[in-house]
Amino acid sequence: MDARNTISTPRPAFLSERSYYARTPALTIDPAGIVVDVNAACLELLGSAAAGCKGRHFRRLEERLLGEGDGDAGVILLPPDGLSRRRDGTAAGDRGPESKEAFLLATDEIGVASSECMIRSARFGRVRLRAGELPMLDRETGLCVGSMLSLEVEEMADHGAFRRAVDLRLGHDLMWDVYAASYDRILTEMPFYLEVLDRHRAALDPDEIRSVLDMGAGTGNLAMRLLDRGKEVVAVDVGRAMLDRLRGKIRPGHAGRIVVLEDSAESLPDLPDESVDGANILLALFDMAEPARALAEAIRTLKPGGILAVTEPRECFDVDQLMAFAEEALRARGAYERLADDWTRIRTVAPLIRDVIADSDDRAAAIKKGKTLHAEAILSRLRDEGFEDLSFRESHHGNCATIVGRKPCGGGQAAAHVAARAPRL
């Protein structure tokens, strides 16, 4: 397990939720040059080039922007000393963990550094940025404990499109923050949800499955069950509020067996090929911008012979019908009055989830582009990849389905298919 990303590593005290939800792209960097946070606007601007950069030296992001990423973003013009510089002229690319003390600068020595760069974005075209690094101070000691690197957009072909994209992302993230507060208390009262949890745990329970990638881990309901069974878990999710609840469930006996990655599942450059024995995706793909990429990452990281368990909405998904079943279950268990406030939140979010799940006007084209993947399409995809022992079982009163299969052993056309679809790292 990679100790750099384990839950035992505390989130730095100087991080702010306000900066995460700001509309100016920004990164937070610690005194050793390690990226400790990337805000939503920055992720929207840089795309998959920013994937996996948290917990890594800032140099890694610069290298990806310079062309080692998968082409979503690329620097056209980069200042000689890199995007991020201290007042004393030290470039971010020269910083390393061994030189951490050198960057604990006294207050009167600190100044704001700025530079300009150009990037080309697959979504927003040519963009001119003003990169400004603002040191962050410890209020007690007056020393520099990190810095905020903002990437202010000075010129963009369609600035309106970028603003709309950021607003949509922030709205989406806030929606799930609200949902997380009630997620556990409501779902754990739902027999159909508990049934699916049992299915996934059973599928990933064999002794030969020692490590599991949990994509879209949410609040950790399945991850905890797997940890209790002695498994090692890599839990990946973009939802901060969800992962905060997950972290709160971790017990001393789980120590050293869980890695928590607050990142997109569509690109996991730090997870090697064929590195996990099992992969889990439970109602997560429907909410991703590029679900086909995430599924390809699950297949890429899964060892030959490994088990993949997926539950996703079916073509016939009807959120109104499912909400009616859920309310009936709450009343039958005598929990409706006790959970009335939580239920109100869930009902508020439900129409938004329906909009997310709804297919585009051209269903076939959307699936081909990897923009939507209902359960039937996932089953077809896994058949094409050569998965063995495939099963398809309805869940959530027929609105969803669970697909379980085993990744084929050996090479051949299916393996080549997977390699071709996996992101270039």
Side-chain angles (χ1 to χ4, degrees), residues 271-286:
L271 294 185
D273 295 351
E274 301 179 358
S275 57
V276 295
D277 304 308
N280 175 76
I281 308 174
L282 204 170
L283 296 176
L285 292 178
F286 78 88

Side-chain angles (χ1 to χ4, degrees), residues 1-50:
M1 307 290 282
D2 186 353
R4 173 181 54 81
N5 287 314
T6 59
I7 50 84
S8 59
T9 302
R11 184 178 293 172
F14 59 83
L15 290 186
S16 166
E17 289 299 309
R18 182 180 301 173
S19 64
Y20 182 78
Y21 291 109
R23 285 168 169 76
T24 298
L27 304 94
T28 308
I29 306 169
D30 76 4
I34 303 301
V35 177
V36 294
D37 200 19
V38 184
N39 79 349
C42 189
L43 291 171
E44 199 67 28
L45 175 67
L46 301 182
S48 60

Side-chain angles (χ1 to χ4, degrees), residues 147-216:
S147 61
M148 178 73 70
L149 177 65
S150 64
L151 301 173
E152 183 180 355
V153 177
E154 293 194 327
E155 183 181 327
M156 180 182 282
D158 189 350
H159 205 167
F162 176 65
R163 288 197 302 270
R164 289 191 295 273
V166 171
D167 286 345
L168 284 172
R169 187 181 190 111
L170 292 176
H172 170 270
D173 290 351
L174 287 168
M175 176 188 81
W176 286 111
D177 281 359
V178 171
Y179 191 55
S182 303
Y183 185 90
D184 283 332
R185 290 189 289 269
I186 293 292
L187 279 185
T188 52
E189 298 285 346
M190 300 293 106
F192 51 80
Y193 175 71
L194 296 174
E195 177 189 34
V196 168
L197 281 180
D198 287 341
R199 284 184 190 177
H200 281 244
R201 183 200 56 76
L204 298 166
D205 197 44
D207 292 340
E208 63 268 23
I209 298 178
R210 297 177 296 276
S211 59
V212 178
L213 169 62
D214 189 3
M215 280 189 166

